[in-house]
Amino acid sequence: MDLHFGDSKPTDEERAAVDALLGPPESSWEGAARDEMRAADLRWARGGREARDRRELLLPGLHAINDRIGWISEGALDYLCRRLTVPPAEAYGVATFYAMFSVEPRPATVLHVCTDLACAAAGAPQLCAGIEERLGLGSGVSVERSPCLGLCERAPAALAVKAGDPVRTAVSAPASVQEAVLAASSPGSAPEEPPVALAVPQAGQDGLLLLHRVGVVDPASLDDYRAHGGYTALRRAFELGPAGVIREITDSGLAGRGGAAFPTGRKWQATASQPDHPHYLVCNADESEPGTFKDRVLMEGDPYALVEAMTIAGYATGAHKGYLYLRGEYPRALHLLEHAIAQARARGLLGDDVLGQGYAFDIEIRRGAGAYICGEETALFNSIEGYRGEPRSKPPFPVEKGLFGKPTAENNVETLVNVLPILTMGAPAYAAIGTPRSTGPKLFCVSGTVQRPGVYELPFGATLGDLLALAGVRDGLRAVLLGGAAGGFVRADELDIPLTFEGTREAGTTLGSGVVMAFDDSVPLPRLLLRIAEFFRDESCGQCVPCRVGTVRQEEALHRIVERTGVDAAGDIALLREVGRAMRDASICGLGQTAWNAVESAIDRLGAYE
């Protein structure tokens, strides 16, 4: 593709897709026709800084084209760049960064078939082969092997996306060849997804704090949400004031649930105290860790809870604008959240005067497009701003200079939803749940070879064995992966590990985002480790050498071991350890720092190649 403004012209459909987002162009500098009425446009440039400030609309613009056409042509990219005053070379770099976009022609319908850990163990390779054989060449469907789709409790999974106005999607999970082909052939007529409550085996049980509304309330009904305690926490927040809210969150001991476990109260206080304005709030709903689907379940089953929690977080940190960065692979969550935000805005729960309290706050959804690295907070900021989703060096930290260079509080969905019970029950009662260093309830995503996969809520301190007993672990359990691809394996005889931040750390593993994936003897462990290595190679943003090169070398070594079926693997294992140490010590962000964890634990704890 030519990387300067060229002669390629957008089609009428491509132009309409961009104009629907940005409005019609006002001058020929923005791509309007150069007729006699616009001759004066050629004498001076219009837009300037105002146009450049709209660069944040680059990612939504790429989505608009990709959704309408199915791929992004040179002419469409050129037109979008003119509208936003973005150099085409930079926009091309952004468009090619994301797995869900294509800059090469492809059919309007794309079938994404998950081949990650849970789906691979459930027969995804055979599913892909069967789909490709059934569809054949010239079917008008592009079958693409995809990283985790966040549907691990229903593995194997497939997502069909048919471009058009409007774009249509269909999920098939658990997918058979016939059902996946039907979803791809006619997304609009595919069977509806099952109720989200089926992903919560505990649905309707007493004593749940985070999941108590999932399967009980209508996720589309604001009135139903309020009838079940909704917006009680926000009213309590206005009674306490911003400082009082932060004090409650601090006293509760709430720590981030995305994996880093940073104290939420400290983050909010640091953001609120910054003199630079405006402040921003960002909800990280880009849960791309293989095996993680708890945030999807919360957003699909209780979307108003997230809207309320974001409003409280914005109020406490002095933010008047919140961005909800949502995985591009979550069409159902997108639909429900768009509806929830619109309803909250119409009822005075978002907007210029929230609940008549004189506080202005609103939420904007930004869709990701298939990039695991955007789960890292600064990479997410770059993505929203219209740049490649590459992590930034720290310091400065986001609480000082985050989104658009302003103080920013960033939390994931589960962390934010915990704010509601803290304010309704009080910090002391919340802190009494769990352990002194890991307070409150925790959501766990259980998948793999268990009888009842799904999202479970348990207080911190329950053991791994307690959790697997609820999920119904099957005979022949060989290993459990904690924390997802970036986590570590434990043996079947280590089920007494307490599920706390400190307990898993002392056991030499990690709690991560709450992934608990069980594997029995039928799962070929070397192939599983190779899939983890392939995942990190694909998802490395390539910004730093240790990760860019290390993930490739790790995959190459594991390929050699698998091809030799483990014979004479000692040399490659020694190389893996050396590469792993380099990635852990020198990578810019957590992706490279953790890319070796699962492989290391499988070698040392499971004897994977013995």
Side-chain angles (χ1 to χ4, degrees), residues 297 319 406 408 415 419 449 534 573:
V297 170
K406 299 296 182 179
T408 304
T415 305
V419 170
T449 50
E534 291 171 347
I573 290 175

Side-chain angles (χ1 to χ4, degrees), residues 197-447:
L198 294 181
V200 182
Q202 298 167 305
Q205 291 184 12
D206 293 334
L208 299 178
L209 292 180
L210 307 180
L211 299 175
H212 69 284
R213 278 185 290 259
V214 177
V216 176
V217 304
D218 177 359
S221 172
L222 177 56
D223 290 332
D224 204 5
Y225 175 71
R226 298 185 78 166
H228 287 80
Y231 282 95
T232 303
L234 180 58
R235 294 184 184 278
R236 174 65 175 154
F238 284 133
E239 292 173 3
L240 292 170
V245 172
I246 292 176
R247 185 166 54 250
E248 285 287 293
I249 301 303
T250 303
D251 292 346
S252 73
L254 176 64
R257 301 298 202 247
F262 190 85
T264 305
R266 283 176 54 192
K267 180 182 288 188
W268 287 15
Q269 178 61 51
T271 305
S273 63
Q274 294 297 319
D276 193 15
H277 286 274
H279 294 181
Y280 290 103
L281 172 74
V282 173
C283 172
N284 185 346
D286 190 55
E287 57 169 2
S288 303
E289 186 69 52
T292 311
F293 50 95
K294 57 186 174 60
D295 289 352
R296 172 183 62 81
V297 170
L298 286 172
M299 291 185 289
E300 292 180 356
D302 200 8
Y304 288 102
L306 180 57
V307 175
E308 181 183 3
M310 288 184 67
T311 308
I312 293 170
Y315 176 65
T317 58
H320 297 285
K321 180 70 176 287
Y323 287 89
L324 200 169
Y325 190 91
L326 178 66
R327 279 199 76 182
E329 296 91 341
Y330 284 176
R332 188 187 201 180
L334 174 65
H335 171 73
L336 287 165
L337 284 165
E338 286 178 335
H339 176 76
I341 291 170
Q343 288 296 304
R345 194 178 291 133
R347 301 275 285 273
L349 300 168
L350 288 174
D352 295 334
D353 188 12
V354 176
L355 280 177
Q357 297 292 320
Y359 169 62
F361 183 75
D362 213 338
I363 297 172
E364 182 176 342
I365 297 176
R366 289 297 174 89
R367 293 163 58 199
Y372 172 76
I373 189 62
C374 288
E376 197 278 338
E377 56 186 359
T378 61
L380 186 155
F381 299 157
N382 278 338
S383 181
I384 291 176
E385 292 176 18
Y387 297 92
R388 289 168 61 90
E390 296 174 341
R392 303 172 184 173
S393 297
K394 304 173 189 175
F397 294 96
V399 296
E400 301 168 309
K401 290 188 180 297
L403 185 64
F404 305 120
K406 299 296 182 179
T408 304
E410 180 266 356
N411 297 108
N412 78 336
V413 174
E414 184 188 353
T415 305
L416 287 167
V417 172
N418 268 274
V419 170
L420 305 183
I422 291 172
L423 293 185
T424 54
M425 69 191 302
Y430 180 92
I433 302 170
T435 68
R437 289 195 287 171
S438 297
T439 64
K442 178 76 183 80
L443 298 182
F444 297 95
C445 309
V446 184
S447 61

